[in-house]
Amino acid sequence: MDCIFCKIVAGELPSHKVYENERVLAFLDIHPVHPGHTLVIPKVHARNLLEIAAEDWAAVAEAARMLAIAVEKATDADGMNIMMNNRAHAGQVVDHAHVHVIPRFKGDGLRQWSPRSYKENEAAEIEAKIREAL
Ligand code: DGP
């Protein structure tokens, strides 16, 4: 499999590693929103959140929590975004699950998405569909 992040895990490609344990690796994003922008990945390949094993996700989520605290401290950030793109149409470029840990600064001007309002009955309908899908 030709996966960039698997090659980073295997040490075949260089990276600035900031943390690892038996399930998880965290390293600096090569194109940071701000310095300190970190990616947290499972060592075992999974394409995205929708396909990752529950145990690996639990480990990635806990590492992202720890790293949010560490990156905020290290960069003196004013806030932190924890983000994940899943599948190409949601902005995922690298097909190995990864959580972005991004320091944010007062007035940095980044916008994430444009909110909208629900139409009549729309919220109740999607609420029912989500409950049914669980
Ligand atoms: P996403 O759009 O969520 O799939 O983000 C992928 C991120 O991966 C993007 O911010 C840049 C980063 N990236 C891509 N290739 C490499 C690489 O070879 N090394 C590192 N450190 N980061 C990479």
Side-chain angles (χ1 to χ4, degrees), residues 89-100:
H89 289 289
Q92 185 175 7
V93 174
V94 177
D95 236 10
H96 181 128
H98 52 281
V99 172
H100 294 259

Side-chain angles (χ1 to χ4, degrees), residues 8-63:
I8 288 176
V9 170
E12 293 165 12
L13 283 177
S15 69
H16 288 277
K17 294 179 187 174
V18 294
Y19 175 75
E20 80 179 296
N21 64 30
E22 62 282 358
R23 284 185 187 270
V24 169
L25 178 66
F27 52 94
L28 298 183
D29 190 305
I30 205 167
H31 297 307
V33 171
H34 291 297
H37 177 168
T38 295
L39 300 175
V40 186
I41 70 169
K43 287 185 172 175
V44 171
H45 185 86
R47 284 197 292 189
N48 53 51
L49 177 70
L50 301 129
E51 299 182 17
I52 193 170
E55 299 78 12
D56 282 336
W57 172 245
V60 167
E62 172 54 11

Side-chain angles (χ1 to χ4, degrees), residues 27-129:
F27 52 94
L28 298 183
D29 190 305
I30 205 167
H31 297 307
V33 171
H34 291 297
H37 177 168
T38 295
L39 300 175
V40 186
I41 70 169
K43 287 185 172 175
V44 171
H45 185 86
R47 284 197 292 189
N48 53 51
L49 177 70
L50 301 129
E51 299 182 17
I52 193 170
E55 299 78 12
D56 282 336
W57 172 245
V60 167
E62 172 54 11
R65 186 193 67 81
M66 281 172 39
L67 282 153
I69 294 167
V71 172
E72 185 184 60
K73 193 172 167 188
T75 62
D76 203 18
D78 299 310
M80 298 295 302
N81 284 135
I82 309 302
M83 297 183 56
M84 187 173 195
N85 300 320
N86 293 283
R87 304 203 200 282
H89 289 289
Q92 185 175 7
V93 174
V94 177
D95 236 10
H96 181 128
H98 52 281
V99 172
H100 294 259
V101 177
I102 304 174
R104 295 293 303 274
F105 298 90
K106 187 178 175 189
D108 69 11
L110 294 171
R111 278 199 63 93
Q112 287 150 332
W113 51 63
S114 309
R116 45 159 281 185
S117 299
Y118 278 109
K119 297 180 209 136
E120 201 180 346
N121 297 328
E122 197 183 12
E125 281 168 21
I126 193 64
E127 177 201 320
K129 280 188 184 170

